[in-house]
C-alpha cells in the first residue's frame, strides 16, 4: 500500500493582510469618473508574483480584495521564521545567508526588490531549506505608492532609503540581509527595546562610520569578543553587505561570487543533476490551494478566526472630525494598516479530504494510443452530475487536474485525448492551457508575441482606449491597471499582426476571456485569440464585413426556421430580424452579452465545435425566451434583448450541443466559412433569398444509409417520374398538386400525415428544380413543420451521386 | 416632467398619446448610452458597456396636453458601424447628435452626422445637438458659443448635458417632445412597433409616429 497523498506534508498556507491607501472620496480621474481603488491596482499588479516559483521563495497563491481597501495575501509558508531559532552555528548562519542570496538573486532577475526582509519572513524548514516569505510586498504596492505605511523594518532598512525617496535598488536587500546576519552571528538582538524613531536615528548614525559597520555594531552591543572570533571571510561578507554608499555595496548576485559561497554553489549544481533522475511528484502549491478552497478552506475566515480581521461597528470607522473643506481627521490609525502577523494554516483539512487517495494517483494511467484512462470509476459516475457540482467536488477535481496535467505535459501528441476529456468538463485551474490545446496552440508563442510591435501609435488607439475602460469592468482583474495595460497590448498586437483586418468594437470583449484566463501569460492569450478568430470569426473583422455578417445572420434565420418554425413565423410577422439584436452575439461569440464566468462555460463547449456552433447557442438563447417572444410584439421583443434577462448557461450549452449534433453540417454551410472542404458544387442563390436551408447530397445519403428513421424525404416530382425511381420510404407530393396559399398540411392529402406529426425528423424536400423545392419548403414552414430543408441540386444531384438509392417504387407506394 | 418606466395614463381619455422614434448618433464614448440610461432609468454607470450594433429602449414623458412615448435607438459609435446607422435613423422623427465637450474631434464628427441626417433622413426630423460631459468644465475644449452658433445656423435644438450629474438630460428630451408635431394624422397608439419599420425602403413614407388619439 502506498502512502497517502499528502502524508508528511510540511508546507502550509500563510495569510497576511494590509490596507491599501484609500483615495480621498472627492477625488476623480481626469475623465470625471472615480479613480480605480488602490486595492484593485494591487490585485492586478500582484498577479505577476504568482509566476515566481523558486525553491528559496514562498510562492504566492492568491491575492484577495476585501472590504474597505483591505488586501489579503496568501502564500506558501514553510517551516519556522529565523527569528524563532537560537544559537545557530556560524556555518548554519552562512548556509542561511547563502540561500537568502540565491532567492534574492532570482527575484532580482525579474526586477523585484524585496525591501521588507526581516528575521520574521525568512523561513527555514526541517531540512534547513530557506524560503523568503512575502518577498513581493514592495512590488505589489507599486514601490509602496499604493499604501500609506512605510515598507521595511526600520532596524534593517538601508540608510539611503531614509535619505531619499527614489526607487529602491536591489542593494537595499544586501544591507538588510547584512544586518540580519550580523544579528544572528552576534547572537543578540541589536538595539533591543528601541522605539521606531530611535532605531531610525541609530541607522542614520551609522552613516558616519569610518571603518567597519559590523565592528561598530558589535562594540555598541557589547559583543566585540564574538565579532573577533568570527572567521575572516564571514566578517568580510557582512562588511560587503553593510556598506554605507550603495555604489560600494554589492548586489545579491555579486555577493554570491564571494569565496565563502563557492562550496555551496558547487554542491547545489550537483544536487540539481542528481535530482534529474529522481521521479518524485510533489503536488504544486497553487493546485493544493485550489483544492483546499474547494474543501472549504477560506483564508479570510482564518484571518478572522485568529483576530487579524476584526469587524468593527461602522460607527467606529467614521472620522472624528470632518471640516467643510473635506479634510478628515481621526480616521484610521496608520499603524494598523499593515499587520505584520502571519496566519499559518496547515493542509490538514485537505489532506483529510484526500486521505484515501493513494500516492500513486499522482500517476494517471495513460494507455497506449494516448487514450486517457480514469484511475477509477469515481470520475465516470461523477461526470453524470451537474457541472457546478463537479466543479465543487474536491476529489473529482483532484483526479481531473492530475489527468489533464499529465496530458498537457506531453501535448501536442495528446491533442485528441485532451479533446475527448474536455467533452466531459475542464477543471478551472487548467482551463487556460486546455483552451490553448483545443485551439491547437503550440510552438514558441512567446517569441512570436515579443516580436510584434505593440507600442507604435496607430489610428485605432483612440477607439481601443475608450473601449477598454468599458470592457468587463465588474471583473477586478480586468478593471485593474495591469488588466488595462495587458488588454491594450493584446489588441494592438492583434491589429498589427493582422493587417488585412481592422479593429471592430467588440474585439475587446472577445479578447477579455483569453486575458482573464492567461493573465500572466499574454503570449498564450494572444496565441489563443489568433487561433480563435480564423476558426470562428473568419473574415468578421474585415474592414467591410457586411457580406459576412449578413450571410451569418441569414443563416441564423434559416436555422431558427429549421428548428423552430413557429417562432420563426412569429418573428417574421413582427419583422423582428436578427440584424437588430444578434450582431453583438456573433461578432463577439457572446462575450459582449454574458459575464465572464458564463462565457467560460459556454466556450468550453464552443471550442469543441466548429464555426456553426454559435448559431445553435443563439437558438438556445431564443429557446429560453421563447414563450415571452411568442406572446410579444416588436417593442417588447427588442426591449428584452436590449437588456437581456438572466440566461441559464448550463441549459443553454446543453441545448446548443444537442441541436448542433442533430443538424447535418451542410445545413449550416456558409460561403464565407473557413472550412471550404465541402464547397464544391454549392451554388446557393443570393444570401437572404431562401428562408429554408439546403442540405447536401452527401449528408442526405449519410442519413438515409445510417439513420433512416431520422429523415423524411418528400419528393416533389410527378407520379410517373417518382415511380421510376425514388428513395425508399419517401413521400411523393407532386409539386403541381400543391396549393401554396394553404397553410394546413391536411390540404396535401393523407400521404402527408407523417409531416404534420413530425417532431424530430429532418424533412428533406427533393424537387425537380431548386425553385420549386424552395417554394414548397416555405409552404411547409407556413404549416409549422419541423426540420425542413431542401436538397441542394435537387433530384439531378441525387441521381448523379447516388443513383443506387433511387429504387423503383413498390406497388402500394404512391397510391392512395 | 419625465415619468419613469413606460407609465401610461390609467385611462386613455385623458390627453393623447404619441409615439416617436428617436435615434442617438455620435462618436463612441461621448456618452450616448449614458444619456439614454439616465433618461430612461435615472441611473449612471461609470463603466457603461460599449454598444455594439444598437440598443433599444422606451420612455414616456408627459406634456400638458399629450403623453409622448419615445422609442429610442441607441447606436454604436465606432465609424465602422456607420453602415448600420441608416437602418436606425430611417423613419426616425427625432435625433440627438451627441459630442463630448472635452474632445474636439467628437464635435467635428457630430457635424458630419448632422449633415448626413439633413441629407438622408426624413425632412421633418427634429435634430438636437447635445454637448455631453458638461460636468468636466475644466477640461472643456469645445466652447459653448461655438456649438450654439453652429446649432442656430442649422436649426438644431442645443443643450450641454451631463449624464453623470443628470444636468439637462430630461430637458433635452422634453424640448424635443415639445417641438415634435402632435397633430397630424390620427392613428392608434395602442399598436406597438409603429416606429419599427427599420428596413423599409427610402421612398416609402413612414407611417410611423404621429399616431395620436
Ligand atoms: N464625466 C462624465 N462621464 C460620462 C458622461 N457620460 C458618459 N460618461 C462616461 O463616458 C464613457 C462612455 O460613455 P457611453 O455612454 O458608453 O458612450 P457611448 O459610446 O457614446 O454610448 C463611460 O465611461 C461613461 O461613464 C458624463 O456626462 N460625464
Ligand atoms: Mg454606447
Amino acid at each position: 500500500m502506498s502512502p497517502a497523498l499528502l502524508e508528511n506534508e510540511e508546507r502550509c498556507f500563510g495569510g497576511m493582510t494590509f490596507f491599501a491607501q484609500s483615495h480621498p472620496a472627492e477625488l476623480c480621474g481626469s475623465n470625471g469618473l472615480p479613480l480605480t481603488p488602490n486595492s484593485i491596482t494591487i490585485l492586478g499588479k500582484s498577479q505577476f508574483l504568482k509566476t515566481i516559483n523558486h525553491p528559496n521563495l514562498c510562492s504566492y497563491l492568491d491575492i484577495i480584495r476585501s472590504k474597505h481597501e483591505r488586501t489579503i495575501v496568501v502564500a506558501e509558508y514553510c517551516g519556522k521564521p529565523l527569528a524563532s531559532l537560537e544559537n545557530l552555528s556560524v556555518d548554519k548562519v552562512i548556509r542561511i545567508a547563502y540561500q537568502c542570496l540565491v532567492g534574492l538573486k532570482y527575484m532580482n532577475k525579474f526586477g523585484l526588490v524585496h525591501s521588507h526582509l526581516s528575521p520574521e519572513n525568512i523561513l527555514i524548514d526541517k531540512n534547513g531549506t530557506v524560503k523568503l516569505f512575502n518577498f513581493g510586498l514592495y512590488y505589489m504596492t507599486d514601490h509602496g505608492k499604493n499604501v500609506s505605511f512605510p515598507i521595511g523594518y526600520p532596524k534593517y532598512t538601508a540608510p539611503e532609503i531614509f535619505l531619499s525617496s527614489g526607487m529602491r535598488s536591489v542593494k537595499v536587500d544586501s544591507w538588510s540581509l547584512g544586518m540580519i546576519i550580523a544579528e544572528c552571528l552576534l547572537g543578540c538582538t541589536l538595539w533591543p527595546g528601541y522605539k521606531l524613531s530611535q532605531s531610525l536615528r541609530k541607522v542614520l548614525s551609522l552613516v558616519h562610520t569610518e571603518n567597519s559597520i559590523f565592528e561598530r555594531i558589535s562594540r555598541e552591543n557589547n559583543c566585540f569578543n564574538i565579532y573577533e572570533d568570527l572567521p575572516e571571510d564571514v566578517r568580510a561578507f557582512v562588511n560587503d553587505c553593510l556598506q554605507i554608499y550603495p555604489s560600494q555595496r554589492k548586489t545579491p548576485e555579486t555577493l554570491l561570487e564571494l569565496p565563502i559561497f563557492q562550496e555551496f554553489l558547487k554542491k547545489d549544481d550537483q544536487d540539481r543533476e542528481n535530482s534529474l533522475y529522481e521521479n518524485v511528484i510533489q503536488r504544486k502549491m497553487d493546485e493544493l490551494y485550489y483544492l483546499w478552497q474547494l474543501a472549504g478552506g477560506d483564508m479570510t475566515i482564518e484571518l478572522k478566526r485568529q483576530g487579524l480581521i476584526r469587524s468593527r461597528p461602522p460607527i467606529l470607522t467614521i472620522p472624528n472630525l470632518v471640516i467643510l473643506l473635506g479634510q478628515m481627521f481621526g480616521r484610521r490609525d496608520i499603524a494598523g494598516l499593515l499587520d505584520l502577523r502571519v496566519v499559518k494554516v496547515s493542509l490538514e483539512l485537505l489532506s483529510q479530504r484526500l486521505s484515501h487517495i493513494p500516492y500513486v494517483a499522482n500517476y494517471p494511467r495513460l494507455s497506449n494510443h494516448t487514450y486517457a484512462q480514469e484511475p477509477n470509476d469515481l470520475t465516470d459516475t461523477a461526470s453524470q452530475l451537474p457541472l457546478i457540482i463537479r466543479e465543487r467536488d474536491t476529489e473529482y477535481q483532484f483526479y481531473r487536474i492530475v489527468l489533464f496535467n499529465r496530458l498537457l505535459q506531453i501535448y501536442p501528441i495528446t491533442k485528441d485525448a485532451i479533446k475527448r476529456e474536455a467533452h466531459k468538463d475542464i477543471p478551472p485551474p487548467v482551463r487556460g492551457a486546455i483552451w490553448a490545446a483545443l485551439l491547437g496552440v503550440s510552438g514558441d508563442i512567446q517569441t512570436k508575441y515579443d516580436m510584434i510591435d505593440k507600442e507604435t501609435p496607430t489610428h485605432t488607439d483612440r477607439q481601443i482606449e475608450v473601449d477598454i475602460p468599458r470592457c468587463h469592468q465588474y471583473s477586478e482583474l480586468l478593471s485593474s491597471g495591469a488588466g488595462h495595460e495587458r488588454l491594450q497590448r493584446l489588441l494592438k498586437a492583434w491589429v498589427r499582426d493582422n493587417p488585412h483586418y481592422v479593429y471592430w468594437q467588440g474585439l475587446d470583449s472577445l479578447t477579455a476571456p483569453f486575458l482573464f484566463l492567461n493573465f500572466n501569460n499574454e503570449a498564450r492569450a494572444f496565441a489563443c485569440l489568433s487561433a480563435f478568430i480564423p476558426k470562428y470569426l473568419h473574415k468578421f473583422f474585415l474592414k467591410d464585413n457586411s457580406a459576412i455578417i449578413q450571410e451569418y445572420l441569414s443563416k441564423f434565420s434559416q436555422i431558427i426556421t429549421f428548428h423552430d418554425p413557429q417562432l420563426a413565423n412569429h418573428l417574421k410577422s413582427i419583422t423582428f430580424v436578427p440584424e437588430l439584436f444578434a450582431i453583438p452575439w456573433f461578432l463577439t461569440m457572446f462575450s459582449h452579452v454574458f459575464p465572464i464566468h458564463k462565457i467560460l462555460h459556454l466556450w468550453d463547449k464552443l471550442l469543441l465545435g466548429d464555426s456553426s456552433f454559435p448559431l445553435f447557442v443563439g437558438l438556445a438563447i431564443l429557446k429560453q425566451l421563447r414563450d415571452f417572444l411568442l406572446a410579444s410584439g416588436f417593442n417588447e421583443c427588442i426591449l428584452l434583448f436590449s437588456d437581456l434577462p438572466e440566461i441559464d448557461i448550463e441549459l443553454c450549452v446543453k441545448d446548443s450541443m444537442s441541436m448542433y449534433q442533430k443538424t447535418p453540417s451542410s445545413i449550416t454551410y456558409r460561403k464565407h466559412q473557413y472550412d471550404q472542404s465541402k464547397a464544391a458544387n454549392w451554388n446557393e442563390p443570393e444570401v437572404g433569398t431562401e428562408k429554408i436551408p439546403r442540405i447536401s447530397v452527401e449528408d442526405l445519403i449519410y442519413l438515409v444509409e445510417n439513420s433512416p428513421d431520422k429523415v423524411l424525404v418528400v419528393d416533389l416530382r410527378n407520379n410517373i417520374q417518382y415511380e421510376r425511381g425514388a428513395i425508399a420510404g419517401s413521400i411523393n407530393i407532386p409539386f403541381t398538386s400543391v396549393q401554396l396559399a394553404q397553410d394546413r398540411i391536411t390540404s396535401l392529402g393523407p400521404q402527408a400525415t407523417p409531416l404534420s406529426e413530425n417532431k424530430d425528423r429532418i424533412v428533406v424536400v427533393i424537387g425537380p428544380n431548386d425553385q420549386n423545392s424552395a417554394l414548397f419548403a416555405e409552404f411547409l414552414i407556413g404549416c409549422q413543420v419541423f426540420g425542413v430543408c431542401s436538397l441542394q441540386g435537387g433530384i439531378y444531384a441525387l441521381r448523379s451521386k447516388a443513383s443506387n438509392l433511387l429504387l423503383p417504387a413498390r406497388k402500394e407506394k404512391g397510391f392512395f | 416632467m419625465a415619468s419613469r418606466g413606460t407609465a401610461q395614463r390609467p385611462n386613455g381619455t385623458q390627453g393623447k398619446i404619441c409615439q416617436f422614434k428617436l435615434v442617438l448618433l455620435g462618436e463612441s464614448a461621448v456618452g450616448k448610452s449614458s444619456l439614454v440610461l439616465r433618461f430612461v432609468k435615472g441611473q449612471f454607470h461609470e463603466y457603461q458597456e460599449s454598444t455594439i450594433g444598437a440598443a433599444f429602449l422606451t420612455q414616456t414623458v408627459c406634456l400638458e396636453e399629450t403623453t409622448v412615448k419615445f422609442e429610442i435607438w441607441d447606436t454604436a459609435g465606432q465609424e465602422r458601424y456607420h453602415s448600420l446607422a441608416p437602418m436606425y435613423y430611417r423613419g426616425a422623427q427625432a435625433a440627438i447628435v451627441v459630442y463630448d465637450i472635452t474632445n474636439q474631434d467628437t464635435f467635428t464628427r457630430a457635424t458630419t452626422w448632422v449633415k448626413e441626417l439633413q441629407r438622408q433622413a426624413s425632412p421633418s426630423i427634429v435634430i438636437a445637438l447635445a454637448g455631453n460631459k458638461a460636468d468636466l468644465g475644466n477640461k472643456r475644449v469645445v466652447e459653448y458659443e461655438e456649438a450654439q452658433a453652429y446649432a442656430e445656423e442649422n436649426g438644431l435644438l442645443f443643450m450641454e448635458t451631463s449624464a453623470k450629474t443628470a444636468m439637462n438630460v430630461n430637458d433635452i428630451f422634453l424640448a424635443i417632445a415639445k417641438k415634435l408635431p402632435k397633430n397630424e394624422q390620427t392613428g392608434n397608439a395602442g399598436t406597438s412597433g409603429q416606429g419599427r419599420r427599420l428596413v423599409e425602403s427610402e421612398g416609402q413614407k413612414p407611417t410611423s409616429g404621429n399616431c395620436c388619439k
Side-chain angles (χ1 to χ4, degrees):
Chain A
M1 183 71 200
S2 78
L5 200 67
L6 294 174
E7 236 169 67
N8 305 320
E9 184 60 66
E10 197 193 353
R11 294 174 298 174
C12 305
F13 303 124
M16 54 90 59
T17 178
F18 62 86
F19 284 101
Q21 187 170 34
S22 39
H23 296 299
E26 72 279 9
L27 213 62
C28 284
S30 60
N31 57 359
L33 304 176
L35 295 169
T36 311
N38 277 322
S39 56
I40 291 209
T41 307
I42 291 172
L43 182 98
K45 196 158 166 84
S46 56
Q47 297 305 312
F48 167 67
L49 292 170
K50 292 189 195 164
T51 65
I52 308 289
N53 290 300
H54 185 272
N56 298 115
L57 299 173
C58 288
S59 307
Y60 279 92
L61 302 171
D62 200 8
I63 318 300
I64 304 161
R65 189 174 164 253
S66 175
K67 270 186 275 185
H68 310 303
E69 289 296 88
R70 180 191 285 286
T71 297
I72 295 167
V73 178
V74 187
E76 173 185 13
Y77 195 97
C78 222
K80 291 190 178 135
L82 176 61
S84 68
L85 305 181
E86 279 172 6
N87 301 326
L88 292 165
S89 68
V90 174
D91 276 356
K92 277 214 176 108
V93 174
I94 294 304
R95 246 195 89 74
I96 290 167
Y98 166 74
Q99 296 184 69
C100 289
L101 287 170
V102 174
L104 288 171
K105 177 183 163 183
Y106 184 78
M107 55 184 275
N108 291 165
K109 215 170 72 182
F110 300 94
L112 298 175
V113 175
H114 193 309
S115 209
H116 184 58
L117 266 180
S118 87
E120 294 294 343
N121 53 34
I122 297 176
L123 308 181
I124 297 142
D125 75 7
K126 295 202 287 260
N127 306 318
T129 304
V130 171
K131 278 183 196 281
L132 305 181
F133 179 78
N134 205 9
F135 59 88
L137 185 62
Y138 183 64
Y139 172 82
M140 73 168 79
T141 56
D142 194 12
H143 315 296
K145 280 186 224 135
N146 297 326
V147 290
S148 32
F149 52 85
I151 291 182
Y153 296 75
K155 188 158 89 169
Y156 306 111
T157 299
E160 69 267 22
I161 291 176
F162 297 125
L163 298 172
S164 81
S165 56
M167 287 256 267
R168 307 183 187 178
S169 87
V170 299
K171 290 179 176 175
V172 305
D173 294 335
S174 306
W175 174 281
S176 305
L177 184 66
M179 290 299 272
I180 292 165
I181 293 301
E183 211 171 34
C184 286
L185 291 168
L186 297 177
C188 64
T189 306
L190 302 180
W191 313 311
Y194 270 41
K195 288 208 200 83
L196 192 143
S197 57
Q198 289 170 306
S199 312
L200 197 150
R201 223 169 294 138
K202 207 73 213 159
V203 173
L204 287 176
S205 73
L206 297 175
V207 171
H208 304 295
T209 313
E210 310 244 302
N211 300 321
S212 155
I213 288 180
F214 189 18
E215 181 186 328
R216 172 164 165 184
I217 292 173
S218 65
R219 283 186 199 277
E220 280 182 7
N221 288 278
N222 305 323
C223 331
F224 185 66
N225 52 335
I226 304 179
Y227 172 81
E228 268 186 326
D229 289 344
L230 289 171
E232 184 51 42
D233 55 354
V234 171
R235 276 187 284 174
F237 158 59
V238 178
N239 278 325
D240 278 344
C241 293
L242 297 181
Q243 290 295 320
I244 288 293
Y245 294 102
S247 57
Q248 287 161 19
R249 201 184 307 146
K250 288 187 182 343
T251 63
E253 184 174 6
T254 45
L255 285 167
L256 277 172
E257 289 162 9
L258 292 174
I260 190 172
F261 299 121
Q262 296 320 299
E263 279 302 306
F264 295 116
L265 283 169
K266 235 180 269 160
K267 186 162 177 306
D268 269 5
D269 281 344
Q270 261 165 19
D271 288 353
R272 238 191 313 273
E273 213 160 282
N274 295 340
S275 71
L276 282 181
Y277 304 101
E278 281 170 31
N279 194 4
V280 180
I281 287 196
Q282 200 185 26
R283 303 269 22 128
K284 290 225 276 314
M285 258 333 238
D286 53 352
E287 198 180 294
L288 295 179
Y289 176 67
Y290 176 74
L291 294 170
W292 177 72
Q293 285 177 297
L294 290 185
D298 183 334
M299 191 49 86
T300 311
I301 292 179
E302 298 294 338
L303 290 177
K304 277 189 189 145
R305 193 176 289 159
Q306 308 211 20
L308 274 77
I309 299 179
R310 243 171 279 164
S311 42
R312 292 210 289 167
I315 187 98
L316 293 180
T317 61
I318 57 175
N320 298 340
L321 178 68
V322 181
I323 61 171
L324 286 175
L325 290 172
Q327 241 176 321
M328 298 187 216
F329 298 94
R331 262 180 107 194
R332 220 189 256 143
D333 187 9
I334 298 239
L337 295 180
L338 171 67
D339 198 324
L340 292 173
R341 289 173 294 173
V342 177
V343 164
K344 272 171 67 173
V345 185
S346 77
L347 291 180
E348 189 53 30
L349 175 70
L350 181 61
S351 102
Q352 266 173 21
R353 183 66 64 93
L354 302 179
S355 61
H356 58 282
I357 300 182
Y359 176 76
V360 287
N362 281 318
Y363 306 88
R365 248 187 304 145
L366 303 180
S367 68
N368 43 3
H369 307 302
T370 67
Y371 182 80
Q373 206 100 57
E374 299 296 343
N376 58 30
D377 53 18
L378 169 116
T379 46
D380 275 339
T381 342
S383 59
Q384 315 295 325
L385 295 169
L387 183 62
I388 18 177
I389 297 192
R390 277 176 276 154
E391 285 199 343
R392 285 180 196 157
D393 182 330
T394 318
E395 204 175 319
Y396 179 77
Q397 287 295 314
F398 169 79
Y399 280 116
R400 299 291 288 163
I401 291 170
V402 169
L403 176 67
F404 272 110
N405 274 335
R406 184 79 188 102
L407 290 171
L408 283 169
Q409 262 172 4
I410 42 177
Y411 172 80
I413 57 164
T414 43
K415 193 164 187 243
D416 293 338
I418 288 177
K419 200 161 180 176
R420 201 165 329 118
E421 286 302 326
H423 268 278
K424 287 184 208 156
D425 52 42
I426 302 177
V430 293
R431 188 175 267 128
I434 296 297
W435 278 19
L438 293 175
L439 285 165
V441 169
S442 66
D444 187 2
I445 53 175
Q446 188 65 50
T447 308
K448 174 153 192 278
Y449 184 62
D450 289 344
M451 273 164 55
I452 301 171
D453 172 12
K454 312 166 197 75
E455 314 297 327
T456 311
T458 69
H459 294 305
T460 322
D461 290 355
R462 184 205 174 246
Q463 191 64 53
I464 292 179
E465 255 160 52
V466 299
D467 284 345
I468 286 176
R470 298 187 284 178
C471 181
H472 292 290
Q473 294 300 292
Y474 54 86
S475 150
E476 290 178 339
L477 271 188
L478 296 180
S479 71
S480 68
H484 285 192
E485 285 160 22
R486 285 164 213 217
L487 187 53
Q488 184 180 33
R489 277 198 296 268
L490 285 168
L491 291 173
K492 287 194 64 137
W494 189 86
V495 172
R496 169 67 59 157
D497 197 41
N498 291 277
H500 48 299
Y501 287 145
V502 297
Y503 176 86
W504 279 86
Q505 268 188 306
L507 187 69
D508 50 336
S509 303
L510 190 68
T511 310
F514 293 119
L515 173 58
F516 182 82
L517 283 184
N518 301 291
F519 202 76
N520 282 320
N521 194 342
E522 255 175 80
R524 191 162 75 191
F526 182 75
C528 286
L529 178 69
S530 302
F532 184 90
I533 289 177
K535 190 164 172 204
Y536 297 98
L537 290 163
H538 185 51
K539 296 197 199 163
F540 272 68
F541 290 92
L542 279 177
K543 191 162 181 189
D544 180 6
N545 62 4
S546 51
I548 290 86
I549 300 234
Q550 213 191 346
E551 187 196 35
Y552 204 89
L553 294 176
S554 83
K555 189 44 92 177
F556 184 47
S557 295
Q558 286 186 351
I559 294 292
I560 302 173
T561 311
F562 181 80
H563 279 279
D564 194 344
Q566 191 192 353
L567 183 63
N569 288 339
H570 174 68
L571 297 182
K572 190 174 157 216
S573 75
I574 58 169
T575 62
F576 190 66
V577 291
E579 278 77 0
L580 297 174
F581 61 93
I583 293 175
W585 292 10
F586 297 125
L587 185 73
T588 69
M589 288 295 133
F590 306 94
S591 60
H592 194 73
V593 272
F594 289 133
I596 299 251
H597 70 274
K598 289 191 177 182
I599 301 168
L600 298 182
H601 284 148
L602 183 63
W603 285 16
D604 275 354
K605 291 290 182 289
L606 171 68
L607 293 174
L608 300 169
D610 62 21
S611 68
S612 71
F613 187 77
L615 295 167
F616 299 96
V617 177
L619 193 55
I621 295 174
L622 294 184
K623 199 175 160 197
Q624 289 192 26
L625 308 172
R626 188 171 191 272
D627 293 343
F628 181 91
L629 293 173
L630 281 177
S632 304
F634 179 87
N635 273 8
E636 293 78 40
C637 288
I638 193 72
L639 275 174
L640 185 73
F641 285 102
S642 287
D643 203 354
L644 200 65
E646 195 72 11
I647 297 290
D648 176 344
I649 204 73
E650 206 180 338
L651 180 66
C652 172
V653 167
K654 222 177 101 212
D655 287 344
S656 340
M657 212 51 179
S658 91
M659 291 188 288
Y660 173 71
Q661 282 161 351
K662 267 193 230 150
T663 312
S665 69
S666 57
I667 298 271
T668 62
Y669 175 79
R670 290 177 298 120
K671 209 166 71 206
H672 292 296
Q673 77 189 32
Y674 183 62
D675 176 12
Q676 290 293 345
S677 57
K678 299 202 180 113
N681 304 327
W682 198 272
N683 53 351
E684 214 169 326
E686 191 97 346
V687 168
T689 50
E690 282 191 0
K691 304 273 176 289
I692 288 89
R694 296 181 174 203
I695 188 170
S696 69
V697 176
E698 290 76 13
D699 280 346
L700 176 63
I701 297 171
Y702 182 86
L703 281 169
V704 169
E705 288 179 344
N706 295 286
S707 34
D709 55 325
K710 293 258 170 63
V711 60
L712 199 57
V713 176
V714 181
D715 199 319
L716 295 184
R717 290 171 300 160
N718 64 40
N719 268 20
I720 306 164
Q721 286 174 322
Y722 178 77
E723 274 169 30
R724 246 182 251 147
I727 290 184
S730 60
I731 307 172
N732 183 216
I733 300 175
F735 185 70
T736 45
S737 73
V738 180
Q739 290 171 288
L740 289 173
Q742 290 285 342
D743 61 359
R744 286 191 353 265
I745 285 288
T746 43
S747 70
L748 295 176
Q751 84 274 35
T753 316
L755 286 173
S756 56
E757 287 166 358
N758 182 39
K759 293 240 159 43
D760 53 3
R761 291 164 82 176
I762 294 172
V763 177
V764 181
V765 178
I766 305 180
N769 63 53
D770 288 338
Q771 208 185 353
N772 288 358
S773 307
L775 284 172
F776 181 72
E778 258 174 72
F779 164 82
L780 290 182
I781 296 304
C783 305
Q784 306 196 350
V785 175
F786 168 89
V788 180
C789 55
S790 66
L791 181 67
Q792 157 76 17
I795 190 70
Y796 301 103
L798 187 60
R799 214 175 269 151
S800 71
K801 288 202 179 136
S803 53
N804 59 319
L805 287 183
L806 295 170
L807 309 171
R810 279 179 288 141
K811 207 70 192 121
E812 59 276 283
K813 276 261 161 201
F815 281 95
F816 45 93
Chain B
M1 262 299 293
S3 67
R4 296 269 166 263
T6 49
Q8 295 201 339
R9 296 191 178 206
N11 88 48
T13 56
Q14 294 183 335
K16 44 189 181 175
I17 302 172
C18 300
Q19 291 198 137
F20 294 103
K21 176 175 162 187
L22 180 150
V23 61
L24 278 106
L25 299 166
E27 179 64 84
S28 68
V30 295
K32 297 181 294 299
S33 303
S34 300
L35 284 171
V36 178
L37 187 71
R38 175 60 84 187
F39 175 55
V40 174
K41 298 194 181 153
Q43 299 169 347
F44 178 72
H45 295 170
E46 291 131 26
Y47 306 118
Q48 176 64 40
E49 287 157 22
S50 63
T51 315
I52 295 179
F56 179 82
L57 288 138
T58 60
Q59 175 63 305
T60 307
V61 297
C62 300
L63 302 179
E64 266 158 30
E65 282 296 295
T66 46
T67 301
V68 170
K69 182 172 179 194
F70 280 116
E71 298 177 344
I72 305 166
W73 283 98
D74 170 25
T75 62
Q78 193 188 8
E79 176 64 29
R80 298 196 197 297
Y81 284 92
H82 192 160
S83 59
L84 288 177
M87 177 156 98
Y88 302 108
Y89 65 63
R90 202 172 289 145
Q93 287 92 21
I96 303 182
V97 177
V98 188
Y99 67 92
D100 172 353
I101 66 154
T102 70
N103 184 320
Q104 186 69 45
D105 292 345
T106 65
F107 181 70
T108 315
R109 182 84 189 101
T111 63
T112 60
W113 274 121
V114 170
K115 272 192 216 107
E116 178 165 342
L117 285 174
Q118 287 169 339
R119 254 197 341 262
Q120 316 266 358
S122 131
S124 60
I125 191 167
V126 174
I127 306 176
L129 181 68
N132 192 38
K133 308 202 185 178
D135 55 293
L136 301 178
N138 56 345
K139 292 193 68 201
R140 167 193 295 281
V141 293
V142 182
E143 290 307 326
Y144 184 88
E145 291 72 22
E146 180 192 355
Q148 195 180 33
Y150 169 80
E152 247 165 53
E153 254 168 59
N154 288 274
L156 319 174
L157 286 168
F158 171 63
M159 281 185 202
E160 284 196 346
T161 58
S162 167
K164 188 184 168 194
T165 65
M167 177 186 114
N168 278 346
V169 176
N170 287 347
D171 309 63
I172 198 163
F173 282 91
L174 216 57
I176 293 170
K178 283 190 186 138
K179 202 170 163 190
L180 282 163
K182 282 169 277 308
N183 44 4
E184 301 156 30
Q185 196 182 32
T186 43
N188 51 342
T191 320
S192 61
Q194 285 296 318
R196 72 169 184 249
R197 304 220 172 271
L198 293 157
V199 275
E200 75 198 343
S201 63
E202 270 299 297
Q204 240 172 315
K205 193 179 180 298
T207 53
S208 47
N210 311 346
C211 42
C212 306
K213 72 173 175 193

